[in-house]
Amino acid sequence: MSKKTKQIHLAAHFPGVNNTTVWSDPAAGSHIEFESFRHFARTAERGKFDFLFLAEGLRLREQRGQIYDLDVVGRPDTFSVLAALAAVTDHLGLTGTINSTFNEPYEVARQFATLDHLSGGRAAWNVVTSWDAFTGENFRRGGYLRQEDRYARAKAFLETATELWDTWAADDLVADKAAGTFVRRPDVGSYAHRDEHFDIAGQFNVPRSPQGRPVIFQAGDSDEGREFAAARADAIFSRHSTLEAGQAFYADVKRRLPAHGRTRDDLLILPAATFVLGDSDAEARDLAAEVRRQQVSGATAINFLEQLWNRDLSAYDPDGPLPDVDPLPGENTVAQGRASVRRHEDVLQTARDWRERAAAGGLSIRELIIEVTARQSFVGAPQTIAGQLNDFVQQDASDGFILVPHLTPTGLDSFVDQVVPLLQERGVFRTDYEGGTLRDNLGLRPQEPAADRQAAS
Ligand SMILES: Cc1cc2nc3c(=O)[nH]c(=O)nc-3n(C[C@H](O)[C@H](O)[C@H](O)COP(=O)(O)O)c2cc1C
């Protein structure tokens, strides 16, 4: 039986989280002004994208104790931006990265239920689990969560928030003018939740929203992160954007679903991906090389090296050879506030690999970092990129992509103008929004209140 052709899901990641974003380009705009967010969101909606994605960092990143300002520094609050974008878009999903460590379930449940009401059912939550004391210093409980507890808390957090959302049934709000009753039952919203992380009780005060609860994303990469997603997320935001790595991740995560009573279609795999478009493949390759040089300045190259070497390398020439000293293993003390962690890495082996690569290619520090931190997923003429994107999805390396342009806010324009029509012609991408909510547009099953809570309501 021939395999069914999959539809591609596309999202637009507002740039600004790391050096993928070239903020110093003359064509780059503001990362603060609402007009940038509005232009970017409306371009994504014009392109019939599934959703817009906002990453979030709760503390400014530092390198050797100084604010790291080679990347974009600072950004408005996620919920405030998404709520404002709800007013200037009609179909685009609105996905916010909100931390399950440095927040409380009652607040986050209210904020997402509110966003879902304001947007008519387009809210989504990317659940992230940072734990570090560095970020924790911005909150009253600085650094209280151990790394190994990050998912236990995230699980309890999401379960508690889900309980809160489910305390209202869709028909609880009656507003019966003749009878003078506003709600169907006096105990609407009542809940009591106690576990090792949360001990709260009361009445949740936001009526059930159009989706019932936001679409849930997860962006973890560890075994625990994948299990968390397989058990309870609707989509996983991955960093595996090459064909082989994407297929391995896809197979691994989809394989985990049946154990949680879920089918392959219950969880979408959406890797972050970048693109560089040109009139020809050769022109795109030249443009891509220039973008990489803009993304990796000499200072950026030294900073990347310090994150692995765990040493101050500011005395080294980025156009010179790698340091002759070895990295310092152990907890990263140079770079603070980065979501990517080093625990997966044998830093001494990585340094050996990098030395071999630099020697073989005669690469300077900057040239090596440009190579080893390459994030350019798709480079070519529009036809080439459309073909590559489609191949990835049809060969089960992903169910679509969260695209991260390198320019704000106009970086998505050329993709929407030149690549989207080609995907539509191939019949693998929508020509118009088909559903009323984000969950519908993602092809996900509707969410009903948990059976036990439904019986109680
Ligand atoms: C593609 C991707 C995007 C992420 N974006 C963020 C983010 O915006 N903010 C954040 O605090 N963590 C972010 N993270 C970090 C993860 O959510 C998580 O905290 C970290 O990967 C640890 O999870 P793990 O141990 O399961 O890999 C991201 C991770 C991935 C893979």
Side-chain angles (χ1 to χ4, degrees):
M1 186 174 83
S2 67
K3 196 164 174 288
K4 192 167 134 266
T5 301
K6 290 161 63 179
Q7 287 296 298
I8 295 174
H9 291 288
L10 291 175
H13 184 310
F14 189 84
V17 179
N18 51 37
N19 75 312
T20 304
T21 307
V22 182
W23 62 264
S24 51
D25 186 300
S30 166
H31 283 83
I32 304 290
E33 288 164 15
F34 179 61
E35 185 41 43
S36 288
F37 291 96
R38 177 169 41 187
H39 177 87
F40 192 77
R42 281 184 162 171
T43 303
E45 186 158 86
R46 178 165 62 85
K48 312 297 179 195
F49 276 42
D50 291 88
F51 58 91
L52 171 133
F53 185 95
L54 286 186
E56 182 183 69
L58 291 175
R59 179 164 175 176
L60 296 182
R61 293 170 169 171
E62 292 182 10
Q63 190 96 359
R64 283 185 271 108
Q66 302 296 316
I67 295 294
Y68 187 88
D69 72 342
L70 293 170
D71 293 348
V72 169
V73 176
R75 186 141 93 189
D77 171 72
T78 296
F79 276 119
S80 309
V81 170
L82 293 179
L85 290 177
V88 296
T89 54
D90 301 305
H91 304 283
L92 187 69
L94 302 166
T95 303
T97 297
I98 297 297
N99 199 296
S100 61
T101 303
F102 302 114
N103 282 295
E104 294 297 328
Y106 190 81
E107 290 162 331
V108 169
R110 271 169 45 82
Q111 288 161 325
F112 273 115
T114 301
L115 179 63
D116 206 42
H117 279 297
L118 290 177
S119 64
R122 293 184 279 141
W125 172 18
N126 175 33
V127 183
V128 293
T129 64
S130 57
W131 63 87
D132 55 309
F134 176 74
T135 302
E137 285 175 344
N138 275 339
F139 301 88
R140 63 181 178 287
R141 303 178 304 276
Y144 71 106
L145 187 69
R146 295 179 309 164
Q147 178 178 347
E148 53 270 32
D149 295 341
R150 70 193 183 289
Y151 279 110
R153 178 176 165 93
K155 182 171 171 291
F157 194 112
L158 184 54
E159 282 170 0
T160 308
T162 303
E163 274 182 45
L164 295 174
W165 291 318
D166 288 354
T167 56
W168 284 73
D171 59 358
D172 273 333
L173 208 58
V174 292
D176 182 335
K177 296 187 174 72
T181 48
F182 198 81
V183 287
R184 188 168 57 87
R185 52 195 175 89
D187 65 343
V188 72
S190 299
Y191 71 91
H193 180 96
R194 173 174 292 181
D195 65 31
E196 63 172 306
H197 294 276
F198 308 108
D199 181 1
I200 57 174
Q203 284 186 276
F204 186 59
N205 65 353
V206 180
R208 193 166 190 80
S209 70
Q211 290 186 118
R213 61 184 80 149
V215 172
I216 300 297
F217 285 71
Q218 209 276 336
D221 200 30
S222 65
D223 187 65
E224 275 183 291
R226 297 177 191 204
E227 269 309 299
F228 180 91
R232 54 188 59 77
D234 300 305
I236 190 166
F237 179 18
S238 95
R239 55 172 56 114
H240 302 288
S241 55
T242 61
L243 186 64
E244 294 71 28
Q247 286 173 319
F249 182 82
Y250 191 94
D252 176 70
V253 174
K254 294 278 186 176
R255 190 175 34 244
R256 295 169 186 254
L257 290 164
H260 299 284
R262 305 180 78 196
T263 70
R264 289 171 60 84
D265 295 340
D266 285 337
L267 178 68
L268 296 172
I269 313 282
L270 300 171
T274 61
F275 62 89
V276 177
L277 270 167
D279 291 340
S280 68
D281 290 353
E283 184 193 71
R285 281 193 295 274
D286 291 344
L287 285 172
E290 180 46 32
V291 168
R292 288 299 291 141
R293 290 189 61 77
Q294 287 180 307
Q295 289 171 330
V296 184
S297 65
T300 297
I302 293 297
N303 278 296
F304 261 105
L305 211 57
E306 287 181 343
Q307 289 169 37
L308 188 82
W309 254 256
N310 212 7
R311 291 173 182 269
D312 176 347
L313 300 176
S314 52
Y316 281 83
D317 174 2
D319 296 322
L322 283 175
D324 39 15
V325 293
D326 272 341
L328 289 174
E331 194 50 39
N332 191 333
T333 56
V334 170
Q336 296 267 30
R338 289 187 173 276
S340 56
V341 290
R342 292 178 359 138
R343 73 180 176 292
H344 302 311
E345 210 156 359
D346 172 348
V347 293
L348 294 173
Q349 182 53 52
T350 303
R352 281 191 289 274
D353 297 345
W354 285 10
R355 285 194 207 290
E356 274 172 35
R357 195 158 168 176
L363 302 176
S364 68
I365 289 174
R366 185 179 181 197
E367 289 163 334
L368 174 85
I369 296 297
I370 284 177
E371 277 200 14
V372 297
T373 61
R375 293 179 176 207
Q376 268 155 0
S377 321
F378 301 105
V379 177
Q383 280 292 358
T384 305
I385 290 189
Q388 289 170 344
L389 291 171
N390 190 39
D391 289 348
F392 253 66
V393 170
Q394 305 311 334
Q395 294 177 40
D396 284 349
S398 78
D399 293 313
F401 303 91
I402 298 182
L403 297 174
V404 193
H406 63 275
L407 276 185
T408 304
T410 58
L412 197 64
D413 296 11
S414 57
F415 185 96
V416 167
D417 295 335
Q418 299 172 39
V419 179
V420 167
L422 298 176
L423 295 174
Q424 291 169 332
E425 278 169 25
R426 289 166 183 253
V428 293
F429 187 67
R430 66 169 63 88
T431 52
D432 205 352
Y433 290 101
E434 55 282 311
T437 67
L438 172 58
R439 186 172 290 279
D440 296 338
N441 287 328
L442 289 172
L444 296 168
R445 288 189 284 182
Q447 278 293 340
E448 296 306 328
D452 54 337
R453 280 194 285 278
Q454 199 160 22
S457 65

